[in-house]
Amino acid sequence: MSKLVRGFRDIFEPQSNLFTELENCARGVLRRYGFSELRLPTVEQKELFVKSTGETTDIVQKEMYSFEDAGHRQLAIRPEGTPGVVRAYLENNFTQAAPVQKFYYIGNMFRAERPQAGRYREFEQIGAESIGNSAPAADAEMILMLKDIVSAFGAKNYSVKINSLGCDKCRPLYRQALIDFLSQEKDTLCENCQTRLEKNPLRVLDCKVDGPRFSGRVPTMTLCPECQAHFEEVQCLLKGKIDFMVDPMLVRGLDYYSRTVFEFQAGDTSQNAIAAGGRYDGLIKSMGGPATPAVGWAMGVERVIASRGEVPVPPQKSVYVASLGPACHEPAFNLMQALRQAGVRTEGGLFDKNAKGQMKQANRCGAAYALILGEDELAKQEVTLKDLTSGEQKQLPLATIVQEVKKLV
Ligand code: HAM
């Protein structure tokens, strides 16, 4: 018998209901903020992620599921949504027709990370990208929209950290300062970080092996006056609307960020980020488009759900239809369909089983009521309605039963 692949999961009810609940909650808020849904493909060219997520990132170096297809194309199963959104934006010529766009996406992402609690190889992200607005208001709007979603869903005990990674003007100085600092400890760095030190020293800080031990010790970035003013304005717009703290160690694990970055964190494990994002003003240009600012985030659906803790889901009331003889099968089946058309959650149809077997199934599937159609009932054009909690039962006319049941469930 085939087994589930490590790091992947089957998600049954009631757990799967929580995904739908969060998705619905997010859709409502996202629409209120003027975002429209973009359904992205799961597979993209591998090069898209190498060039955007970044070739020195853990995601691309170690975690991406990539393969060659029968046509010898180098492809990858998406580890994140942002590069796909930018590709779609450029490929569909939004730059010309309507450069300011706000998209959201909901979908599964794939990263071959070491599986542990809250870290899966297939996980769901809800993401949002605001393209074409460089104003600090766009950053603040994104952070507040994220807060609106997680609080509407009921997530608790999370903290919000923000930082600014500066721009092409402030970055080279900081890069050098980091190289100087990290070079002193070069021999103790993991093999990957030894290479990263020269190519992309910022990545050393979010390395799962080396990153944590530099916390609080590395030099902090001095922003250029424009980036400083931008960051101050973002903070000013957020003040009083959300609790947040500035964390100079927050560097994020993807290459495309500039200026504002942020994380919503719950707990203090390395899987504590329930959602994260930032500004990526250089990405669209680096992918062949015109210089276009952008800011976005993605939440880890499983992590947001876990941060809310156990909330009992009220059982949805359903009705079970049983048929007690061959002559009753068709009317019982028609009754099931009529109930469903009227919006009632209806189970049944196990007409090959005897009365006892059908009632056992009615209890097993958690139905609140059973509708029993036997030959006596059929002759009188009636149906027996049984309350499966109290055991009480009564006869009701078949003609009006759908309306009666609708009142009960
Ligand atoms: P990210 O930080 O790589 O950013 O992922 C965003 C969120 O996805 C994380 O905060 C976490 O909640 C969830 N997540 C990531 N990896 C896993 C995993 N293995 N298992 C469970 N959950 C996970 C991005 O993906 C960027 N695209 C966000 C963004 C959008 N930045 C700008 N626009």
Side-chain angles (χ1 to χ4, degrees):
M1 197 175 58
S2 290
K3 292 245 166 72
L4 190 66
V5 179
R6 189 168 130 83
F8 293 78
R9 291 154 307 140
D10 300 310
I11 304 164
F12 295 96
E13 284 193 12
Q15 189 65 15
S16 55
N17 292 335
L18 298 172
F19 285 69
T20 315
E21 189 188 335
L22 177 53
E23 287 159 13
N24 290 343
C25 174
R27 282 180 200 282
V29 176
L30 285 155
R31 286 203 195 104
R32 247 187 281 150
Y33 276 83
F35 282 70
S36 63
E37 184 173 11
L38 172 56
R39 288 185 181 240
L40 293 165
T42 312
V43 171
E44 299 271 5
Q45 292 189 10
K46 178 179 174 180
E47 187 198 57
L48 174 70
F49 301 108
V50 174
K51 288 195 172 152
S52 50
T53 310
E55 64 182 326
T56 55
T57 58
D58 270 3
I59 296 178
V60 167
Q61 280 189 335
K62 303 190 207 158
E63 299 164 1
M64 195 155 70
Y65 287 97
S66 52
F67 61 98
E68 186 180 290
D69 76 353
H72 302 293
R73 284 171 284 253
Q74 299 301 320
L75 305 177
I77 308 180
R78 60 183 183 194
E80 56 146 339
T82 311
V85 172
V86 172
R87 179 205 44 72
Y89 174 83
L90 290 175
E91 215 174 339
N92 292 281
N93 273 323
F94 283 101
T95 45
Q96 299 297 320
V100 177
Q101 287 295 328
K102 297 201 228 177
F103 295 117
Y104 78 89
Y105 51 90
I106 300 181
N108 287 9
M109 305 295 155
F110 302 80
R111 298 182 191 176
E113 297 194 70
R114 199 162 58 79
Q116 49 188 279
R119 192 194 285 167
Y120 310 103
R121 293 188 166 173
E122 178 177 9
F123 57 96
E124 185 177 311
Q125 276 191 349
I126 299 176
E129 315 290 349
S130 166
I131 304 178
N133 187 354
S134 62
D139 310 45
E141 178 185 67
M142 290 305 277
I143 295 170
L144 294 173
M145 177 170 75
L146 183 52
K147 179 201 143 203
D148 282 358
I149 297 172
V150 293
S151 354
F153 179 70
K156 292 181 286 282
N157 303 327
Y158 62 85
S159 57
V160 178
K161 291 187 175 161
I162 67 169
N163 190 22
S164 174
L165 297 181
C167 64
D168 289 348
K169 267 192 264 165
C170 5
R171 205 84 70 90
L173 274 178
Y174 182 59
R175 190 176 183 279
Q176 196 49 53
L178 259 188
I179 294 178
D180 294 345
F181 171 82
L182 293 169
S183 296
Q184 297 163 17
E185 315 211 11
K186 188 171 178 185
D187 298 343
T188 65
L189 294 177
C190 74
E191 211 181 304
N192 261 326
C193 285
Q194 303 241 357
T195 326
R196 286 168 173 160
L197 179 58
E198 298 300 330
K199 279 185 146 181
N200 193 348
L202 211 61
R203 287 285 74 84
V204 176
L205 305 187
D206 54 53
C207 166
K208 290 186 183 86
V209 184
D210 285 326
R213 67 194 168 95
F214 294 115
S215 178
R217 294 202 291 133
V218 287
T220 51
M221 184 180 287
T222 309
L223 297 173
C224 70
E226 292 82 14
C227 287
Q228 185 63 36
H230 191 279
F231 193 40
E232 277 168 16
E233 176 76 12
V234 173
Q235 293 176 64
C236 172
L237 292 170
L238 292 178
K239 275 205 182 105
K241 301 179 191 80
I242 183 171
D243 288 332
F244 65 93
M245 59 175 277
V246 176
D247 178 1
M249 273 299 287
L250 185 69
V251 291
R252 306 277 301 117
L254 304 97
D255 273 357
Y256 45 67
Y257 291 114
S258 54
R259 292 195 162 170
T260 318
V261 287
F262 49 89
E263 271 188 17
F264 282 39
Q265 302 178 346
D268 35 50
T269 64
S270 62
Q271 290 77 253
N272 63 357
I274 60 171
R279 187 164 268 293
Y280 48 96
D281 290 346
L283 180 62
I284 295 176
K285 184 155 187 245
S286 77
M287 284 170 68
T292 310
V295 54
W297 50 251
M299 69 172 73
V301 168
E302 290 81 355
R303 294 190 189 176
V304 174
I305 288 173
S307 77
R308 184 172 77 164
E310 282 305 311
V311 174
V313 184
Q316 201 182 347
K317 282 191 179 169
S318 67
V319 170
Y320 191 92
V321 177
S323 163
L324 305 190
C328 310
H329 292 352
E330 194 187 332
F333 185 77
N334 293 343
L335 176 58
M336 282 165 57
Q337 288 307 103
L339 286 161
R340 288 167 179 158
Q341 300 310 315
V344 178
R345 182 170 171 164
T346 308
E347 313 242 19
L350 262 76
F351 302 153
D352 285 348
K353 291 195 186 294
N354 61 19
K356 201 171 158 206
Q358 291 183 62
M359 294 315 286
K360 199 167 169 187
Q361 182 58 20
N363 285 311
R364 274 200 182 137
C365 71
Y369 299 95
L371 291 175
I372 304 156
L373 203 58
E375 283 170 13
D376 289 351
E377 283 98 339
L378 196 58
K380 290 190 258 167
Q381 282 296 293
E382 285 182 349
V383 57
T384 300
L385 172 81
K386 182 170 181 180
D387 183 326
L388 293 173
T389 319
S390 66
E392 274 170 36
Q393 56 182 60
K394 57 183 171 192
Q395 243 83 41
L396 291 166
L398 199 49
T400 54
I401 191 68
V402 174
Q403 285 74 29
E404 291 301 319
V405 169
K406 265 191 91 171
K407 284 185 220 152
L408 294 170
V409 293

